[in-house]
Amino acid sequence: MHAQTPSDPAPRFSFPPLITVQQHILSEQRRFQGVSGEFSWLLSGITLATKLIEAKVRRAGLSDILGVQGDVNVQGEIQQKLDVYANDMLLHALSVRESVAVMASEENEHPILAGGSPNAKYIVVFDPLDGSSNIDVNVSVGTTFSILKRTGPLNQKATADEVLQAGSQQIAAGYVLYGSSTMLVYTAGNGVHGFTLDPAVGAYVLSHPNIRIPDSGPYYSMNEAHLEDTPPAYQRYVAGLRSGKYGRKYASRYIGSMVSDFHRTLLKGGVFLYPPNTERPEGKLRLLYEANPIAYIAEHAGGMASDGRQRILDIKPRSIHQRTSLVVGGPAEMQAFERIMAET
Ligand code: P6P
């Protein structure tokens, strides 16, 4: 009988366990039946791309990347150089993930059939740099992403139409906010979790586990320059927020960068709204890669998201760049909104 090799007791640390987003994703994907590791490998492509984007955003003022690329994108918007860079990073990182069949980006007119393996089963839809018009004035910007599964037979090549799925079909969604710190917030349907990028080591570390949107919050957030041009019901709703009609008087906060305005709403509570107006009767924000990921996160954090008539996640898209109005927030603010809309 050999003498047993002595062993030490398990180490006890004076700090909480450091959980990286990769570790978290691996534990998450075990919930998906039959998901081999493709899901975590796909998400690692997104996190890698956002680290490359973050490095450029952090130095935007120091290199010639500031200013406009000069081109105009499919939205008719002047492309900022960082827009183009961010889009290239995501397209590159995802195109080398065998599990990605289709990519759709705000910056590309049509979906891109990725060169994934014939059995690639995922679709990734993203806005590489939302709020990019704020770049030159150093206001936070963000990346949003939405992950869907293919709807066509895996033994046949994917079609672009497979992107047009209701937001309720998302299997994961998230955003990266390039703010005073860089945070990745995502959900794979089992809670909403926030990770802060530690620039010293280049890792997203779990900092906000199981985020829940407060039942009621102190802020409402909209571009009030459009208020007189929005439908009367929205004007009545905002008047109620201001007057204390819904049980508290709200303060106004508006950054003009959707990811930032939503992130504050998610953590502090309240409501963010981009209603329809005379200039944009269908709303301004994009359904597939702005409203859907935000709505998916909001609902998994205990909030709600509506286009004024229906749940955002129930909308069946007609086109990839389709716009929608968006009202998203905590239960108290959204129930007050739904009561107002029910009166019309
Ligand atoms: P407005 C940024 O251009 C964006 O797409 C969103 O990030 C933001 O919420 C909205 O537009 C701001 O629009 O009309 O208030 O400038």
Side-chain angles (χ1 to χ4, degrees):
M1 167 72 76
H2 293 294
Q4 286 287 330
T5 303
S7 61
D8 288 341
R12 298 175 63 81
F13 301 109
S14 60
F15 50 85
L18 294 181
I19 299 174
T20 65
V21 69
Q22 268 68 24
Q23 285 169 266
H24 197 272
I25 291 165
L26 279 169
S27 63
E28 279 295 289
Q29 77 169 10
R30 290 190 193 104
R31 294 186 310 103
F32 291 109
Q33 296 306 319
V35 168
S36 55
E38 296 166 325
F39 183 67
S40 54
W41 178 232
L42 183 163
L43 273 174
S44 72
I46 294 174
T47 54
L48 170 65
T50 62
K51 289 178 192 173
L52 294 163
I53 295 166
E54 192 270 347
K56 279 280 192 255
V57 167
R58 291 283 163 253
R59 298 183 61 252
L62 300 175
S63 63
D64 68 348
I65 204 147
L66 259 187
V68 297
Q69 177 74 21
D71 301 333
V72 173
N73 67 12
V74 294
Q75 319 295 338
E77 295 163 349
I78 293 179
Q79 276 191 317
Q80 306 280 347
K81 287 181 180 177
L82 268 176
D83 270 327
V84 175
Y85 177 84
N87 197 43
D88 288 350
M89 291 305 105
L90 280 158
L91 291 176
H92 170 71
L94 290 168
S95 61
V96 296
R97 260 59 185 178
E98 306 78 15
S99 57
V100 177
V102 187
M103 297 177 282
S105 167
E106 191 218 25
E107 297 297 334
N108 295 85
E109 185 169 2
H110 304 295
I112 296 154
L113 300 186
S117 75
N119 296 320
K121 63 175 73 137
Y122 295 110
I123 296 168
V124 188
V125 182
F126 53 87
D127 182 353
L129 211 59
D130 174 73
S132 53
S133 54
N134 293 301
I135 293 169
D136 284 359
V137 293
N138 207 17
V139 167
S140 301
V141 291
T143 296
T144 57
F145 62 89
S146 166
I147 301 174
L148 299 158
K149 276 199 164 178
R150 280 202 57 196
T151 52
L154 289 187
N155 60 0
Q156 289 175 22
K157 195 158 181 58
T159 63
D161 279 350
E162 295 184 48
V163 172
L164 301 179
Q165 298 179 46
S168 55
Q169 300 306 304
Q170 294 173 97
I171 61 166
Y175 59 81
V176 173
L177 176 59
Y178 309 102
S180 46
S181 65
T182 295
M183 265 196 79
L184 178 143
V185 174
Y186 96 104
T187 181
N190 184 32
V192 175
H193 310 284
F195 301 79
T196 299
L197 183 65
D198 179 341
V201 295
Y204 281 108
V205 179
L206 183 63
S207 54
H208 297 67
N210 293 308
I211 299 173
R212 300 295 291 173
I213 192 167
D215 285 342
S216 169
Y219 303 124
Y220 75 95
S221 180
M222 76 168 287
N223 182 339
E224 297 188 64
H226 302 313
L227 187 58
E228 285 66 38
D229 300 331
T230 61
Y234 286 89
Q235 297 187 41
R236 286 197 298 275
Y237 177 58
V238 173
L241 292 167
R242 287 171 172 165
S243 66
K245 178 181 176 185
Y246 309 132
R248 69 187 303 165
K249 287 192 66 136
Y250 289 80
S252 172
R253 290 285 187 280
Y254 191 68
I255 300 168
S257 187
M258 179 195 69
V259 176
S260 302
D261 281 316
F262 175 71
H263 187 66
R264 181 202 54 249
T265 305
L266 179 67
L267 296 188
K268 300 291 186 187
V271 61
F272 166 74
L273 54 158
Y274 204 108
N277 58 53
T278 43
E279 183 188 334
R280 295 196 185 276
E282 78 285 7
K284 175 181 183 182
L285 301 178
R286 305 294 180 173
L287 174 62
L288 276 182
Y289 39 78
E290 291 176 343
N292 272 348
I294 291 301
Y296 194 69
I297 289 172
E299 289 201 4
H300 282 284
M304 298 160 71
S306 164
D307 72 346
R309 292 181 301 276
Q310 61 190 310
R311 186 172 165 247
I312 288 285
L313 298 183
D314 288 340
I315 301 173
K316 178 72 174 75
R318 299 180 308 279
S319 63
I320 73 164
H321 300 298
Q322 176 176 331
R323 297 178 188 269
T324 180
S325 56
L326 171 65
V327 184
V328 57
E333 290 80 18
M334 292 306 293
Q335 285 156 16
F337 175 67
E338 295 201 333
R339 285 195 298 273
I340 285 275
M341 299 310 281
E343 293 163 4
T344 51

